[in-house]
Amino acid sequence: MKRVGVVLGSREATPLEFWVGVEEEALLRLDDLVVVRAPHPRLGEVRFFGAVDHVAKLHEGQSFDTDTFLAAQGKIPYSLAYVAHVSVTRILPEEYFPPDPGSEVFLAEEEEMELALYYDAMKNQRGSTKLPVGLLQNGAVAYANLEFLNGVKGGHVNISGISGVAAKTSYATFLLKSLLESRAAEDAHQAKVLLFNVKGEDLFFLDKPNLRLKEEDRDLYRKMGLSPEPFRSVAFLAPPKKEGFLPDIDTRLEGVSVYHWDLVQFCQRGLLPFLFADRGAMTNLGFLILQVTERLRRLAEGQRGPHLVVEDWKGGPGGMEDGQGFEGLGQGRLKTFQDLVGYLEYKLLGPEDGEGEGDRRWTARQARATLEAFVRRLRSSVENVAHLIRGDRKGNPPDPLQGAQVHVVDLAKLHPQAQMFVVGALLKEVFEKKERGAYRGRVYIVLDELNKYAPRDEESPIKDVLLDIAERGRSLGVILIGAQQTASEVERRVVANAAIRVVGRLDAAEAERPEYRFLPTSFRQRALILPQGAVILHQPELPVPLFLRFPFPAWATKKEEVLEDNSAEALRRELF
């Protein structure tokens, strides 16, 4: 064992913290783990484990700042003090009294390092629950208790940090790699992942090796028990272009499927509310949305689409021309989202000529101003979502519970309203299937820009679904890995329900917000200068956060990083 110093007697030592005087030529750094053995006549040996969270050097024997120059020239005597503050993480046995000043302080290594970080407690009846989450400052593998992530004891992960610097998506995908491959995750083969691609097209190469991956990076993956390989089972889904039916994506065409909903699916699944992301901004509009949603559900009962058959409309404002698409007297087919909007306008406001009123079964006795506001909002959505909700072909919405283990769903080029619709529709579908017991394995949902979908000060149907996942999801096996630049702008209950919290580089003003009070002051200061590839992780079992580094992605994060496979088998697949 390496002795690094002694417990200082010039500063107060308590059962929860103490100061160490570091010996000459010894090295004690931030995040180093230490152990103090303190004999007691009644209790025997008591061991104090702790993590260094502050280090300092100063000249003792000086009275003025300028004495430093004299000391450096050897003109006055001085002593160099090298001290470190230690936050206690664990005491064995659990006897809460302070260590004696002068007690020897050693670096915690191997077994004692594992005791300091509670690794011995990370187990269940089936074996270890240690999930690799990165590398400590000393190069050792850092672990989190899987049961605080997969819903057994806790669930959900929240990641914060500045865009482009904090590497939120990189760490989220690394965490997925660990969840799907770690020996601790015995049921990982049953797990499914829904991964939303919200910026660029970086996530469309998860199945491709990264040509920038170095051998030392491969060694780090192996050290953690993970393969230095890309994800094996991935499905890529992109929305269609507004013209035609090709995927609206530029960097990759091979292996990408197009997704959309047909009109019958839209009505049967009750997806209308997700077109109104800020429904709470208008009085009574929320009730009207629910009323129309239910009427559409009844209208679509028994229909198999993709078009929607109606019995009581021969065209109307913004819809089909009279007689277009009719099979018989009074019967018509709604073949586009614009047709559906026109039909709803007719049902709510009445004929286009202004004579008469809307159907009271649809209007829910709302004031005409409310009905007109609803219709205006619906009309404005046609341009944004008509290519996603259509009646010209059978719907093919993403189903992350079927097929490949990881589903990457692209949102990047969609209008914000369309992004909201896709996220809300998919989260609702997944959560309802899990509630019905339609899939037994765990589902991990990765969603960046969480502040947009679950804002603190606004209400929306998507926020309702996310709150349901945050508060009840872990009991159903639905785990949210959410990320955002500013946790202070996210609904408090969504963040508070995350058992694992991760922080990358933070803005100085954001770091002072109450949402980061779980970090000691020294860690909040460090978050301002964290480099890429480094994060601070907080987990329930450990009273202090961990500074972690994680390896370079083994999968390509952009087209330029793709390591081309020129093997005979790869060429054969391309040809046939």
Side-chain angles (χ1 to χ4, degrees), residues 232-415:
R232 297 187 182 94
S233 177
V234 190
F236 300 98
L237 302 104
K241 294 182 178 181
K242 290 189 175 181
E243 300 296 332
F245 203 68
L246 293 175
D248 192 8
I249 189 168
D250 299 324
T251 57
R252 175 172 182 162
L253 295 178
E254 165 261 329
V256 179
S257 300
V258 177
Y259 69 83
H260 78 285
W261 286 260
D262 62 45
L263 292 176
V264 173
Q265 290 170 335
F266 174 80
C267 297
Q268 288 179 344
R269 299 182 184 187
L271 302 183
L272 177 67
F274 298 114
L275 294 177
F276 297 82
D278 57 345
R279 71 177 185 199
M282 305 181 69
T283 305
N284 294 329
L285 194 56
F287 182 76
L288 176 60
I289 292 170
L290 296 179
Q291 172 73 7
V292 175
T293 300
E294 181 57 30
R295 296 304 307 183
L296 286 175
R297 196 195 308 270
R298 294 182 186 179
L299 177 65
E301 280 182 0
Q303 297 196 38
R304 297 188 177 181
H307 50 259
L308 194 65
V309 177
V310 296
E311 303 287 346
D312 55 353
W313 188 53
K314 292 188 177 182
M320 302 180 297
E321 297 178 2
D322 277 352
Q324 179 184 351
F326 285 81
E327 293 182 336
L329 182 63
Q331 186 182 77
R333 294 172 182 263
L334 306 183
K335 295 184 177 180
T336 67
F337 182 69
Q338 186 173 0
D339 288 346
L340 178 61
V341 172
Y343 178 72
L344 291 177
E345 185 173 355
Y346 170 73
K347 298 299 290 184
L348 294 175
L349 300 179
E352 189 177 23
D353 57 15
E355 296 182 5
E357 297 180 350
D359 188 334
R360 291 189 176 185
R361 293 172 301 174
W362 290 72
T363 62
R365 299 182 182 276
Q366 297 292 303
R368 188 170 182 87
T370 301
L371 300 175
E372 290 175 348
F374 173 87
V375 170
R376 284 196 303 271
R377 296 284 295 277
L378 207 54
R379 279 183 195 160
S380 67
S381 69
V382 172
E383 176 66 21
N384 302 328
V385 303
H387 60 305
L388 292 174
I389 308 168
R390 49 205 297 167
D392 59 342
R393 60 181 68 210
K394 186 68 176 175
N396 182 35
D399 186 355
L401 304 186
Q402 299 291 329
Q405 188 168 36
V406 179
H407 280 66
V408 178
V409 178
D410 184 50
L411 308 174
K413 291 186 178 181
L414 293 176
H415 185 275

Side-chain angles (χ1 to χ4, degrees), residues 466-477:
L466 284 168
L467 273 172
D468 224 5
I469 292 173
E471 295 176 339
R472 297 195 299 125
R474 75 180 187 89
S475 62
L476 298 171

Side-chain angles (χ1 to χ4, degrees), residues 204-210 230-231 252 254 554-556 562-563:
F204 271 73
F205 303 97
L206 288 180
D207 61 336
K208 303 293 185 183
N210 194 321
F231 289 81
R252 175 172 182 162
E254 165 261 329
W555 45 93
V562 174
L563 179 63

Side-chain angles (χ1 to χ4, degrees), residues 122 128-134 142-146 149 175 178-180 182 184-185:
M122 296 180 184
S128 172
T129 59
K130 295 193 301 184
L131 180 76
V133 291
Y143 296 97
N145 192 338
L146 176 63
L149 197 154
L175 201 57
S178 186
L179 284 166
L180 298 180
S182 172

Side-chain angles (χ1 to χ4, degrees), residues 9 68 95 132 163 192 205-206 288 323 346 416 424 428 438 455 458 529:
T68 302
E95 299 289 347
S163 180
K192 296 288 188 180
F205 303 97
L206 288 180
L288 176 60
Y346 170 73
K428 177 179 183 288
E458 299 176 18
I529 59 172

